Amino acid sequence: MSTKGPDRVDEVLLPAAQPDEFDRLLRGAIDVHVHGQPDLSAGLPNRGADVDVARLAHAYGMSGWVLKSHLWSTMDRAGAVQRAMAETGFTVYGSITLNPPAGGLEPAVVELAAAHGARVVFLPTWGAAADVARDGYISMLLRRISPSFGEYNDRTAIALCDSTGALSGRARAVVDACHALGLALATGHASVEESRAVAEYCAGIGQRLLVTHPLHYAKDAARLREFVDMGAYLEFCNAPLVHPDGHLTIRDVHEALAGVGPERAILTTDVFSRWVPPEPECLRMFVEQLAYLGWTAEQIATMVAANPRAFLGVPV
């Protein structure tokens, strides 16, 4: 299999799409970055309740989801959706994001989350010192909801590295806990430098790692390949492609994928806004556009089905 897409669309012959085959590129897919309804607040709704959108995902041929929240653990919500979908075979995985409300970089939190059924641990997102420094998008939304949030966010910001740039002891302890429990780990909103330190440590102990939406922070192909060379997966998500203030296009994703290949890439949605379609439709749009740009059905299946399963540690 080629490690990159063709330079021109007319270099491949795409399969003819029949009216009832719009699911053809999503069969067996697992979206490992799904924000449930609601995520940040009930006043910021997504397009559809969790169970309804999960049923749409199943109708599109998808195999499962990872539910993620910036504020709370999702194991209970995942369990409720899973029970509602029991007859379908669709699997819903829970996760925890180690932002301050969850306790931050605490291995005990990871252990308790695992005991409660978590499959994925996300390192801090809006709670990351790097995200606070760049005044991230989620922090902006949370300040609208909570008058006290700005002071809280500044006071509780979490750094993953010490003053020398080395991964902190607490961060190493969290990675160790994930490894001991067989959990998948994602970098959250860490800086590129912090993500590299995490990836290097994970490579040393054999911990499965997803570098979360790296194109938010870096587009350099050589930097992206560093993560791949250390065995990390790279996430490419649909959210910035459909956001009114988005800074990326499908061509940016195409070029980045051409630079690193599909073998360690994972395609996700990461959407949670009322102006976009439900997640399964966003993912369908994403992969159909990549197919238009020349990525084969086999390569897309690697990025939406095989790699997510490998990252999660679930059998094919």
Side-chain angles (χ1 to χ4, degrees), residues 57-138:
H58 177 255
Y60 276 22
M62 294 179 63
S63 294
W65 272 357
V66 174
L67 277 178
K68 185 217 179 149
S69 171
H70 284 291
L71 291 174
W72 319 116
S73 62
T74 67
M75 288 79 77
D76 287 351
R77 175 184 290 176
V81 179
Q82 181 70 74
R83 288 189 292 275
M85 299 287 290
E87 79 283 1
T88 67
F90 190 84
T91 304
V92 186
Y93 302 98
S95 70
I96 190 167
T97 304
L98 299 182
N99 282 322
L105 296 178
E106 292 293 340
V109 171
V110 173
E111 293 161 356
L112 294 170
H116 207 56
R119 174 69 70 164
V120 180
V121 172
F122 291 89
L123 292 171
T125 56
W126 57 261
D131 200 74
V132 174
R134 58 181 167 245
D135 192 22
Y137 173 68
I138 304 302

Side-chain angles (χ1 to χ4, degrees), residues 63-303:
S63 294
W65 272 357
V66 174
L67 277 178
K68 185 217 179 149
S69 171
H70 284 291
L71 291 174
W72 319 116
S73 62
T74 67
M75 288 79 77
D76 287 351
R77 175 184 290 176
V81 179
Q82 181 70 74
R83 288 189 292 275
M85 299 287 290
E87 79 283 1
T88 67
F90 190 84
T91 304
V92 186
Y93 302 98
S95 70
I96 190 167
T97 304
L98 299 182
N99 282 322
L105 296 178
E106 292 293 340
V109 171
V110 173
E111 293 161 356
L112 294 170
H116 207 56
R119 174 69 70 164
V120 180
V121 172
F122 291 89
L123 292 171
T125 56
W126 57 261
D131 200 74
V132 174
R134 58 181 167 245
D135 192 22
Y137 173 68
I138 304 302
S139 294
M140 179 270 291
L141 295 177
L142 289 172
R143 284 197 301 272
R144 294 180 182 177
I145 298 165
S146 167
S148 304
F149 178 78
E151 182 276 332
Y152 174 68
N153 197 20
D154 290 340
R155 175 168 47 82
T156 59
I158 300 167
L160 299 184
C161 293
D162 61 25
S163 59
T164 70
L167 199 63
S168 71
R170 302 308 299 170
R172 291 197 305 273
V174 162
V175 178
D176 289 342
C178 290
H179 186 248
L181 293 163
L183 303 182
L185 178 68
T187 57
H189 292 184
S191 69
V192 173
E193 294 74 21
E194 288 176 321
S195 295
R196 193 185 189 289
V198 173
E200 187 173 16
Y201 187 72
C202 287
I205 66 172
Q207 168 62 39
R208 301 188 307 279
L209 178 69
L210 176 68
V211 179
T212 315
H213 43 57
L215 293 187
H216 283 37
Y217 319 118
K219 294 184 182 180
D220 180 66
R223 176 59 64 90
L224 296 178
R225 282 195 296 271
E226 285 183 3
F227 291 115
V228 170
D229 290 343
M230 287 187 282
Y233 291 96
L234 296 178
E235 178 192 34
F236 299 91
C237 58
N238 184 244
L241 311 185
V242 295
H243 195 287
D245 294 322
H247 60 288
L248 296 172
T249 71
I250 190 66
R251 294 279 180 178
D252 294 316
V253 175
H254 168 69
E255 291 173 6
L257 286 172
V260 300
E263 287 79 10
R264 305 296 291 185
I266 292 178
L267 306 180
T268 73
T269 54
D270 186 26
V271 297
F272 55 102
S273 307
R274 63 181 299 123
W275 57 72
V276 297
E279 288 88 349
E281 177 62 11
C282 283
L283 190 60
R284 189 198 67 78
M285 293 162 54
F286 195 15
V287 297
E288 290 282 0
Q289 290 173 10
L290 288 173
Y292 170 80
L293 292 176
W295 294 88
T296 68
E298 181 185 10
Q299 290 170 324
I300 290 170
T302 295
M303 296 186 284

